[in-house]
Coordinates of all heavy atoms in Angstrom, one line a residue:
M1 N 12.7 29.9 -18.9 CA 11.3 29.8 -19.4 C 11.2 28.7 -20.4 O 10.1 28.1 -20.5 CB 10.9 31.1 -20.0 CG 9.4 31.3 -20.1 SD 8.6 31.3 -18.5 CE 7.0 31.7 -18.9
S2 N 12.2 28.4 -21.1 CA 12.1 27.3 -22.1 C 12.0 25.9 -21.5 O 11.4 25.1 -22.1 CB 13.4 27.3 -23.0 OG 14.5 27.0 -22.2
G3 N 12.5 25.7 -20.2 CA 12.3 24.5 -19.5 C 10.9 24.2 -19.2 O 10.4 23.1 -19.1
L4 N 10.1 25.2 -18.9 CA 8.7 25.1 -18.5 C 7.8 24.7 -19.7 O 6.9 24.0 -19.6 CB 8.2 26.3 -17.9 CG 8.8 26.7 -16.5 CD1 8.2 28.0 -16.0 CD2 8.5 25.6 -15.5
T5 N 8.2 25.2 -20.9 CA 7.4 24.8 -22.1 C 7.8 23.5 -22.7 O 7.1 22.9 -23.4 CB 7.6 25.9 -23.1 OG1 9.0 26.0 -23.5 CG2 7.1 27.2 -22.6
L6 N 9.0 23.0 -22.4 CA 9.5 21.7 -22.9 C 8.7 20.5 -22.3 O 8.4 19.6 -23.0 CB 11.0 21.5 -22.6 CG 11.6 20.2 -23.1 CD1 11.5 20.1 -24.6 CD2 13.0 20.1 -22.7
Y7 N 8.5 20.6 -21.0 CA 7.8 19.4 -20.3 C 6.4 19.1 -20.8 O 6.2 18.0 -21.1 CB 7.8 19.7 -18.8 CG 7.1 18.6 -18.0 CD1 7.7 17.4 -17.8 CD2 5.9 18.8 -17.4 CE1 7.1 16.4 -17.1 CE2 5.3 17.8 -16.7 CZ 5.9 16.6 -16.5 OH 5.3 15.6 -15.8
P8 N 5.6 20.1 -20.9 CA 4.2 19.7 -21.5 C 4.3 19.3 -22.9 O 3.5 18.4 -23.3 CB 3.4 21.0 -21.3 CG 4.1 21.8 -20.3 CD 5.5 21.4 -20.4
S9 N 5.2 19.8 -23.7 CA 5.2 19.4 -25.1 C 5.7 17.9 -25.2 O 5.2 17.2 -26.1 CB 6.1 20.3 -25.9 OG 7.4 20.2 -25.5
V10 N 6.6 17.5 -24.4 CA 7.0 16.1 -24.4 C 6.0 15.2 -23.9 O 5.7 14.1 -24.4 CB 8.3 15.9 -23.6 CG1 8.7 14.5 -23.4 CG2 9.5 16.7 -24.3
L11 N 5.3 15.6 -22.8 CA 4.3 14.7 -22.1 C 3.0 14.6 -22.9 O 2.4 13.6 -23.0 CB 4.0 15.3 -20.7 CG 3.1 14.4 -19.9 CD1 3.7 13.1 -19.6 CD2 2.8 15.1 -18.6
F12 N 2.6 15.7 -23.5 CA 1.3 15.7 -24.2 C 1.4 15.6 -25.7 O 0.4 15.7 -26.5 CB 0.5 17.0 -23.9 CG 0.3 17.2 -22.5 CD1 0.7 18.4 -21.9 CD2 -0.3 16.2 -21.7 CE1 0.4 18.6 -20.5 CE2 -0.6 16.4 -20.4 CZ -0.2 17.6 -19.8
R13 N 2.6 15.2 -26.2 CA 2.7 15.1 -27.7 C 1.9 14.0 -28.3 O 1.3 14.1 -29.3 CB 4.2 14.9 -28.0 CG 4.5 15.0 -29.5 CD 5.9 14.9 -29.8 NE 6.6 16.0 -29.2 CZ 7.9 16.1 -29.1 NH1 8.7 15.1 -29.5 NH2 8.5 17.1 -28.5
R14 N 1.9 12.8 -27.6 CA 1.2 11.7 -28.1 C 0.2 11.2 -27.0 O 0.5 11.3 -25.8 CB 2.1 10.5 -28.4 CG 3.0 10.9 -29.6 CD 3.7 9.7 -30.0 NE 4.4 10.0 -31.3 CZ 4.9 9.1 -32.0 NH1 4.9 7.8 -31.7 NH2 5.5 9.5 -33.1
N15 N -0.9 10.8 -27.4 CA -2.0 10.4 -26.5 C -1.5 9.1 -25.7 O -1.9 9.0 -24.5 CB -3.3 10.0 -27.3 CG -4.4 9.9 -26.4 OD1 -4.5 10.5 -25.3 ND2 -5.4 9.2 -26.8
A16 N -0.8 8.2 -26.3 CA -0.3 7.0 -25.6 C 0.6 7.4 -24.5 O 0.5 6.8 -23.4 CB 0.3 6.1 -26.6
V17 N 1.5 8.3 -24.7 CA 2.4 8.7 -23.6 C 1.6 9.4 -22.5 O 1.9 9.2 -21.3 CB 3.5 9.7 -24.2 CG1 4.4 10.2 -23.1 CG2 4.3 9.0 -25.2
Y18 N 0.7 10.2 -22.8 CA -0.1 10.9 -21.8 C -0.9 9.9 -21.0 O -0.9 10.0 -19.8 CB -1.1 11.9 -22.5 CG -2.0 12.7 -21.6 CD1 -1.5 13.5 -20.7 CD2 -3.4 12.5 -21.7 CE1 -2.3 14.2 -19.9 CE2 -4.2 13.2 -20.9 CZ -3.7 14.1 -20.0 OH -4.6 14.7 -19.2
L19 N -1.6 9.0 -21.6 CA -2.4 8.0 -20.9 C -1.5 7.1 -20.1 O -1.8 6.7 -19.0 CB -3.2 7.2 -21.9 CG -4.4 7.9 -22.5 CD1 -5.1 7.0 -23.5 CD2 -5.4 8.4 -21.4
S20 N -0.3 6.7 -20.6 CA 0.6 5.8 -19.9 C 1.1 6.5 -18.6 O 1.2 5.9 -17.6 CB 1.8 5.4 -20.8 OG 1.3 4.7 -21.9
S21 N 1.4 7.8 -18.7 CA 1.9 8.5 -17.6 C 0.8 8.6 -16.5 O 1.1 8.6 -15.3 CB 2.4 9.9 -18.0 OG 1.4 10.7 -18.5
I22 N -0.4 8.8 -16.9 CA -1.6 8.8 -16.0 C -1.7 7.5 -15.3 O -1.9 7.4 -14.1 CB -2.9 9.3 -16.7 CG1 -2.8 10.7 -17.1 CG2 -4.1 9.0 -15.8 CD1 -3.9 11.2 -17.9
F23 N -1.7 6.4 -16.0 CA -1.9 5.1 -15.4 C -0.7 4.7 -14.5 O -0.9 4.2 -13.4 CB -2.0 4.0 -16.5 CG -3.3 4.0 -17.2 CD1 -3.4 3.9 -18.6 CD2 -4.5 4.2 -16.5 CE1 -4.6 4.0 -19.2 CE2 -5.7 4.2 -17.2 CZ -5.8 4.1 -18.5
V24 N 0.5 5.0 -14.9 CA 1.7 4.7 -14.0 C 1.6 5.6 -12.8 O 1.9 5.1 -11.7 CB 3.0 5.0 -14.8 CG1 4.2 5.0 -13.9 CG2 3.1 3.9 -15.9
G25 N 1.2 6.8 -12.9 CA 1.1 7.7 -11.8 C 0.0 7.3 -10.8 O 0.2 7.3 -9.6
A26 N -1.1 6.8 -11.4 CA -2.2 6.4 -10.5 C -1.8 5.1 -9.8 O -2.1 4.9 -8.6 CB -3.4 6.2 -11.4
F27 N -1.1 4.2 -10.5 CA -0.7 2.9 -9.9 C 0.3 3.2 -8.8 O 0.2 2.6 -7.7 CB -0.1 2.0 -10.9 CG 0.3 0.7 -10.4 CD1 -0.7 -0.3 -10.1 CD2 1.6 0.4 -10.2 CE1 -0.3 -1.5 -9.6 CE2 2.0 -0.9 -9.7 CZ 1.0 -1.8 -9.4
A28 N 1.3 4.1 -9.0 CA 2.3 4.4 -8.0 C 1.6 5.1 -6.8 O 1.9 4.8 -5.6 CB 3.3 5.3 -8.6
F29 N 0.7 6.0 -7.0 CA 0.0 6.6 -5.9 C -0.8 5.6 -5.1 O -0.9 5.7 -3.9 CB -1.0 7.7 -6.5 CG -1.8 8.4 -5.4 CD1 -1.2 9.3 -4.6 CD2 -3.1 8.0 -5.2 CE1 -1.9 9.9 -3.6 CE2 -3.8 8.6 -4.2 CZ -3.3 9.6 -3.4
E30 N -1.5 4.7 -5.8 CA -2.3 3.7 -5.1 C -1.4 2.8 -4.2 O -1.7 2.5 -3.0 CB -3.0 2.8 -6.1 CG -3.8 1.7 -5.4 CD -4.4 0.7 -6.4 OE1 -4.1 0.8 -7.6 OE2 -5.1 -0.2 -6.0
M31 N -0.3 2.4 -4.7 CA 0.7 1.5 -3.9 C 1.2 2.3 -2.7 O 1.2 1.8 -1.6 CB 1.8 1.1 -4.8 CG 1.4 0.2 -5.9 SD 0.7 -1.4 -5.4 CE 2.2 -2.2 -4.8
A32 N 1.6 3.6 -2.9 CA 2.1 4.4 -1.8 C 1.0 4.6 -0.8 O 1.3 4.6 0.4 CB 2.7 5.7 -2.3
F33 N -0.2 5.0 -1.2 CA -1.3 5.3 -0.3 C -1.7 4.0 0.5 O -1.9 4.1 1.7 CB -2.5 5.8 -1.1 CG -3.6 6.3 -0.2 CD1 -3.6 7.5 0.4 CD2 -4.7 5.4 0.0 CE1 -4.6 8.0 1.2 CE2 -5.7 5.9 0.8 CZ -5.7 7.1 1.4
D34 N -1.7 2.9 -0.2 CA -2.1 1.6 0.5 C -1.1 1.3 1.6 O -1.4 0.9 2.7 CB -2.3 0.5 -0.4 CG -3.6 0.6 -1.2 OD1 -4.5 1.3 -0.8 OD2 -3.7 -0.1 -2.2
S35 N 0.2 1.3 1.2 CA 1.2 1.0 2.2 C 1.3 1.9 3.4 O 1.4 1.5 4.5 CB 2.6 0.8 1.5 OG 3.0 2.1 1.1
A36 N 1.1 3.2 3.1 CA 1.1 4.2 4.2 C -0.1 4.0 5.1 O 0.0 4.1 6.3 CB 1.1 5.6 3.6
S37 N -1.3 3.8 4.5 CA -2.5 3.6 5.4 C -2.4 2.3 6.2 O -2.9 2.3 7.3 CB -3.7 3.7 4.5 OG -3.8 2.6 3.6
N38 N -1.8 1.3 5.6 CA -1.7 0.0 6.4 C -0.7 0.2 7.5 O -0.9 -0.3 8.6 CB -1.2 -1.1 5.5 CG -2.3 -1.7 4.6 OD1 -3.5 -1.6 4.9 ND2 -1.9 -2.2 3.5
K39 N 0.4 0.9 7.3 CA 1.3 1.2 8.4 C 0.7 2.0 9.5 O 0.9 1.8 10.7 CB 2.6 1.9 7.9 CG 3.5 0.9 7.1 CD 4.7 1.6 6.6 CE 5.5 0.7 5.8 NZ 6.7 1.3 5.2
I40 N -0.1 3.0 9.1 CA -0.8 3.8 10.1 C -1.8 3.0 10.9 O -1.9 3.1 12.1 CB -1.4 5.1 9.5 CG1 -0.4 6.0 9.0 CG2 -2.4 5.8 10.4 CD1 -0.9 7.1 8.1
F41 N -2.6 2.2 10.2 CA -3.5 1.3 10.9 C -2.9 0.3 11.8 O -3.4 0.1 12.9 CB -4.4 0.6 9.8 CG -5.4 -0.3 10.4 CD1 -6.6 0.2 10.8 CD2 -5.2 -1.7 10.5 CE1 -7.6 -0.6 11.3 CE2 -6.2 -2.5 11.1 CZ -7.4 -1.9 11.5
D42 N -1.8 -0.3 11.4 CA -1.1 -1.2 12.2 C -0.5 -0.5 13.5 O -0.4 -1.1 14.5 CB 0.0 -1.9 11.5 CG -0.5 -2.9 10.4 OD1 -1.7 -3.4 10.6 OD2 0.2 -3.3 9.5
A43 N 0.0 0.7 13.3 CA 0.5 1.4 14.5 C -0.5 1.8 15.5 O -0.3 1.7 16.7 CB 1.3 2.7 14.0
I44 N -1.7 2.2 15.0 CA -2.8 2.5 15.9 C -3.3 1.3 16.6 O -3.6 1.4 17.8 CB -3.9 3.3 15.1 CG1 -3.4 4.6 14.6 CG2 -5.2 3.4 15.9 CD1 -4.4 5.3 13.7
N45 N -3.5 0.2 15.9 CA -4.1 -1.0 16.5 C -3.1 -2.1 16.9 O -3.4 -3.3 16.9 CB -5.1 -1.6 15.4 CG -6.2 -0.7 15.2 OD1 -6.9 -0.2 16.1 ND2 -6.4 -0.4 13.9
S46 N -1.9 -1.7 17.2 CA -0.9 -2.6 17.6 C -1.3 -3.3 18.9 O -1.7 -2.7 19.9 CB 0.4 -1.8 17.9 OG 1.4 -2.7 18.3
G47 N -1.1 -4.7 18.9 CA -1.5 -5.5 20.0 C -2.9 -5.9 20.0 O -3.3 -6.8 20.9
R48 N -3.7 -5.5 19.2 CA -5.2 -5.8 19.1 C -5.5 -6.6 17.9 O -6.7 -7.0 17.7 CB -6.0 -4.6 19.2 CG -5.9 -3.9 20.5 CD -6.8 -2.7 20.6 NE -6.0 -1.6 20.1 CZ -6.5 -0.3 19.9 NH1 -7.8 -0.1 20.2 NH2 -5.8 0.6 19.5
Q49 N -4.6 -6.9 17.0 CA -4.9 -7.6 15.8 C -4.5 -9.1 15.9 O -3.8 -9.5 16.8 CB -4.1 -7.0 14.7 CG -4.5 -5.6 14.4 CD -3.6 -5.0 13.2 OE1 -3.3 -5.7 12.3 NE2 -3.3 -3.7 13.3
W50 N -5.1 -9.9 15.1 CA -4.9 -11.3 15.1 C -3.5 -11.7 15.0 O -2.9 -12.6 15.6 CB -5.8 -12.0 14.1 CG -5.5 -13.5 14.0 CD1 -4.9 -14.2 13.0 CD2 -5.8 -14.5 15.0 NE1 -4.9 -15.5 13.3 CE2 -5.4 -15.7 14.5 CE3 -6.4 -14.4 16.3 CZ2 -5.5 -16.9 15.2 CZ3 -6.5 -15.6 17.0 CH2 -6.1 -16.8 16.5
K51 N -2.8 -11.0 14.1 CA -1.3 -11.3 13.9 C -0.5 -11.0 15.1 O 0.6 -11.6 15.3 CB -0.8 -10.5 12.7 CG -0.8 -9.0 12.9 CD -0.3 -8.3 11.6 CE -0.2 -6.8 11.8 NZ 0.2 -6.2 10.6
D52 N -1.0 -10.2 16.0 CA -0.3 -9.8 17.3 C -0.6 -10.8 18.4 O 0.3 -11.1 19.3 CB -0.6 -8.4 17.7 CG -0.1 -7.4 16.7 OD1 0.8 -7.6 16.0 OD2 -0.8 -6.3 16.7
I53 N -1.8 -11.4 18.4 CA -2.1 -12.3 19.5 C -2.3 -13.7 19.1 O -2.6 -14.6 20.0 CB -3.5 -11.8 20.2 CG1 -4.6 -11.8 19.2 CG2 -3.3 -10.4 20.7 CD1 -6.0 -11.5 19.8
R54 N -2.0 -14.1 17.9 CA -2.2 -15.4 17.4 C -1.4 -16.4 18.2 O -1.8 -17.5 18.5 CB -1.9 -15.5 15.9 CG -2.0 -16.9 15.3 CD -1.7 -16.9 13.9 NE -0.3 -16.4 13.7 CZ 0.2 -16.0 12.5 NH1 -0.6 -16.0 11.5 NH2 1.4 -15.6 12.4
H55 N -0.1 -16.1 18.6 CA 0.7 -17.0 19.2 C 0.2 -17.4 20.6 O 0.4 -18.6 21.0 CB 2.1 -16.4 19.4 CG 2.2 -15.2 20.3 ND1 1.8 -13.9 19.9 CD2 2.5 -15.1 21.6 CE1 1.9 -13.1 20.9 NE2 2.3 -13.8 22.0
Q56 N -0.6 -16.6 21.2 CA -1.2 -17.0 22.5 C -2.2 -18.1 22.3 O -2.2 -19.1 23.1 CB -1.9 -15.8 23.2 CG -1.0 -14.7 23.5 CD -1.7 -13.4 23.9 OE1 -2.9 -13.3 23.8 NE2 -1.0 -12.4 24.4
Y57 N -3.0 -18.1 21.3 CA -4.0 -19.1 21.1 C -3.5 -20.3 20.5 O -4.0 -21.4 20.8 CB -5.1 -18.5 20.2 CG -5.9 -17.4 20.9 CD1 -5.6 -16.1 20.7 CD2 -6.8 -17.7 21.9 CE1 -6.3 -15.1 21.3 CE2 -7.5 -16.7 22.5 CZ -7.3 -15.4 22.2 OH -7.9 -14.4 22.9
I58 N -2.4 -20.2 19.7 CA -1.8 -21.4 19.1 C -1.1 -22.2 20.2 O -1.2 -23.5 20.3 CB -0.8 -21.0 18.0 CG1 -1.6 -20.5 16.8 CG2 0.0 -22.2 17.6 CD1 -0.8 -20.0 15.7
Q59 N -0.5 -21.6 21.2 CA 0.2 -22.3 22.3 C -0.8 -23.0 23.2 O -0.6 -24.1 23.6 CB 1.0 -21.3 23.1 CG 2.3 -20.9 22.4 CD 3.1 -19.8 23.2 OE1 2.6 -19.4 24.2 NE2 4.2 -19.5 22.7
K60 N -2.0 -22.3 23.4 CA -3.0 -22.9 24.3 C -3.6 -24.1 23.6 O -3.9 -25.1 24.2 CB -4.1 -21.9 24.6 CG -3.7 -20.8 25.5 CD -4.8 -19.8 25.8 CE -4.3 -18.7 26.7 NZ -5.4 -17.7 26.9
A61 N -3.8 -24.1 22.3 CA -4.4 -25.2 21.6 C -3.4 -26.4 21.6 O -3.8 -27.5 21.7 CB -4.7 -24.8 20.1
E62 N -2.1 -26.1 21.4 CA -1.1 -27.2 21.5 C -1.0 -27.8 22.9 O -0.8 -29.0 23.0 CB 0.2 -26.7 21.0 CG 0.3 -26.3 19.6 CD 1.6 -25.7 19.2 OE1 2.5 -25.4 20.1 OE2 1.8 -25.4 18.0
E63 N -1.1 -27.0 23.9 CA -1.1 -27.5 25.3 C -2.3 -28.4 25.6 O -2.2 -29.4 26.3 CB -1.0 -26.4 26.3 CG 0.4 -25.7 26.2 CD 0.4 -24.4 27.1 OE1 -0.7 -24.1 27.7 OE2 1.4 -23.8 27.1
E64 N -3.5 -28.0 25.1 CA -4.7 -28.8 25.3 C -4.6 -30.1 24.6 O -5.2 -31.1 25.0 CB -5.9 -28.0 24.8 CG -6.2 -26.8 25.7 CD -7.3 -25.9 25.2 OE1 -7.9 -26.3 24.1 OE2 -7.6 -24.9 25.8
E65 N -4.0 -30.2 23.4 CA -3.9 -31.5 22.7 C -3.0 -32.5 23.4 O -3.2 -33.7 23.3 CB -3.3 -31.2 21.3 CG -4.3 -30.5 20.4 CD -3.7 -30.2 19.0 OE1 -2.6 -30.6 18.8 OE2 -4.4 -29.6 18.2
E66 N -2.0 -32.0 24.1 CA -1.1 -32.9 24.8 C -1.8 -33.5 26.0 O -2.3 -34.3 26.4 CB 0.1 -32.2 25.3 CG 1.0 -31.7 24.1 CD 2.1 -30.9 24.6 OE1 2.3 -30.6 25.8 OE2 2.9 -30.5 23.8

């Protein structure tokens, strides 16, 4: 039981530590959420994005210039 009471007292002892932990946690959550949502979006739209089909159009443009 003493382990459960130690964590809040360390975290909430000073306002700066409390706010810092909130900001760091929010930043880490944002980075993880953004990367996960981008991976899911790329998996769903694979082959239909510009980064997937760009090479087809670049080769055509180079062939037309020659």
Side-chain angles (χ1 to χ4, degrees):
M1 197 64 174
S2 65
L4 295 175
T5 59
L6 178 65
Y7 179 70
S9 66
V10 170
L11 186 62
F12 300 128
R13 186 176 300 167
R14 293 190 173 191
N15 195 26
V17 175
Y18 178 64
L19 289 177
S20 299
S21 65
I22 289 174
F23 288 135
V24 168
F27 183 74
F29 177 78
E30 178 188 5
M31 296 295 288
F33 185 81
D34 284 345
S35 65
S37 62
N38 284 335
K39 286 181 182 180
I40 292 170
F41 182 81
D42 288 340
I44 291 172
N45 295 308
S46 178
R48 294 182 269 179
Q49 296 181 34
W50 175 247
K51 65 181 180 180
D52 297 331
I53 62 172
R54 179 178 59 195
H55 66 279
Q56 297 171 349
Y57 294 100
I58 291 175
Q59 289 177 353
K60 288 180 183 178
E62 289 175 356
E63 290 173 0
E64 290 174 0
E65 289 177 2
E66 294 175 356

